Amino acid sequence: FALRGLHAARPHLRGQWRLMFVFSALGVACYNSLQYLALQTSTAVNATLIGASAPVLTLIVGAALFAAPVRRRQWVGAALSLLGVLLVIARGDVLNLARLQLDRGDLVMLVATLAWSLYTWLLRTRRPTVPAMAFLALQIALGALMILPFAIAEYLWTGKTAAPTTSNLIALLYVALLPSLVAYFCWDRGVARAGAIVPMYFVNLTPVFAGLLSYFILGEPIGIHHVIGGALILAGIHLASRPDNRPPSHAEA
């Protein structure tokens, strides 16, 4: 369904192949592969916690590599958002955080988060002027080709493949449609309209959504830590996204 758009976008993509390879490597090949690889050894809690550092990493990457002005309230918003995630993950008990153990998968997840931050800034500053579907289709095609040699090597090394069970097929269909198509399309549009920093704060709503889904699907209760944590995350998003007509000072950059 994207072939017609790709054909029409050829004039805009000429001379952009190197940049498209970078987009595909960071956003498709690296981020997805590293995240799934990290979850082989890292816990879901640790991965979520490290993913919650995305707003902070995005601010640092923007200031260091893209000369982006960063305001104090964006740092405060990132801190509030991270605090909200910590509260949800700790289930309201700080001692639960002390029991977390780091694993090599946690470092892999940190690299994945950094790759996504770089991808987001490039999406904001260097995205080719082509339709979203054509842009996404080309990214996925190039990213799949980058991943293919590793997939073949993994199969030759381990001899393992996913069993064609109903649950595996449903999981694969979910990953193919929602995280890989819908989410990337929404992210592309969100970054185009809101910038590179603000969308990252919404990533921290993941544990809140997980709590809501657990309530509606699994019947698990919603605790006060979900409510307070969600409020802190939303406060961080609001604070970071407030318009400011003042020019940024050097102290705020």
Side-chain angles (χ1 to χ4, degrees):
F1 58 83
L3 287 179
R4 182 178 296 180
L6 274 173
H7 181 76
R10 285 186 305 167
H12 299 284
L13 291 172
R14 288 179 185 147
Q16 302 281 350
W17 286 102
R18 290 183 181 178
L19 184 59
M20 286 304 306
F21 270 99
V22 174
F23 275 117
S24 301
L26 290 174
V28 178
C30 285
Y31 177 69
N32 285 294
S33 300
L34 291 175
Q35 183 174 222
Y36 294 139
L37 181 63
L39 288 169
Q40 299 299 311
T41 54
S42 178
T43 65
V45 170
N46 281 22
T48 302
L49 184 57
I50 294 169
S53 67
V56 177
L57 279 177
T58 303
L59 290 174
I60 294 173
V61 168
L65 301 180
F66 294 88
V70 180
R71 304 190 183 281
R72 289 193 184 97
R73 68 159 171 265
Q74 289 177 316
W75 291 112
V76 175
L80 283 175
S81 182
L82 182 58
L83 181 61
V85 173
L86 288 173
L87 187 63
V88 174
I89 289 177
R91 297 175 180 265
D93 186 355
V94 180
L95 294 179
N96 286 333
L97 294 176
R99 301 187 187 99
L100 293 179
Q101 295 182 345
L102 297 179
D103 191 273
R104 62 183 181 181
D106 300 334
L107 180 60
V108 175
M109 185 64 197
L110 184 61
V111 175
T113 306
L114 177 60
W116 188 250
S117 297
L118 288 167
Y119 169 80
T120 301
W121 271 109
L122 286 173
L123 196 63
R124 179 63 175 177
T125 59
R126 302 290 301 277
R127 185 193 185 284
T129 54
V130 296
M133 279 300 167
F135 181 62
L136 178 58
L138 187 56
Q139 282 186 87
I140 292 176
L142 293 174
L145 289 175
M146 294 176 190
I147 296 170
L148 183 59
F150 297 97
I152 295 173
E154 181 184 49
Y155 175 73
L156 294 176
W157 181 264
T158 65
K160 295 180 180 179
T161 185
T165 63
T166 302
S167 59
N168 281 350
L169 291 175
I170 292 174
L172 183 60
L173 183 63
Y174 168 81
V175 171
L177 293 179
L178 294 181
S180 300
L181 289 180
V182 177
Y184 270 80
F185 178 82
C186 292
W187 192 261
D188 179 72
R189 296 297 82 209
V191 170
R193 296 186 181 190
I197 296 176
V198 173
M200 280 293 188
Y201 290 84
F202 285 85
V203 175
N204 286 350
L205 287 171
T206 300
V208 178
F209 288 142
L212 291 174
L213 289 172
S214 297
Y215 173 76
F216 287 108
I217 297 175
L218 303 177
E220 295 182 359
I222 293 181
I224 187 63
H225 56 280
H226 288 109
V227 177
I228 298 177
L232 287 172
I233 294 170
L234 291 174
I237 293 172
H238 173 71
L239 191 63
S241 60
R242 278 175 52 197
D244 190 348
N245 296 324
R246 293 184 306 108
S249 66
H250 293 293
E252 294 176 308

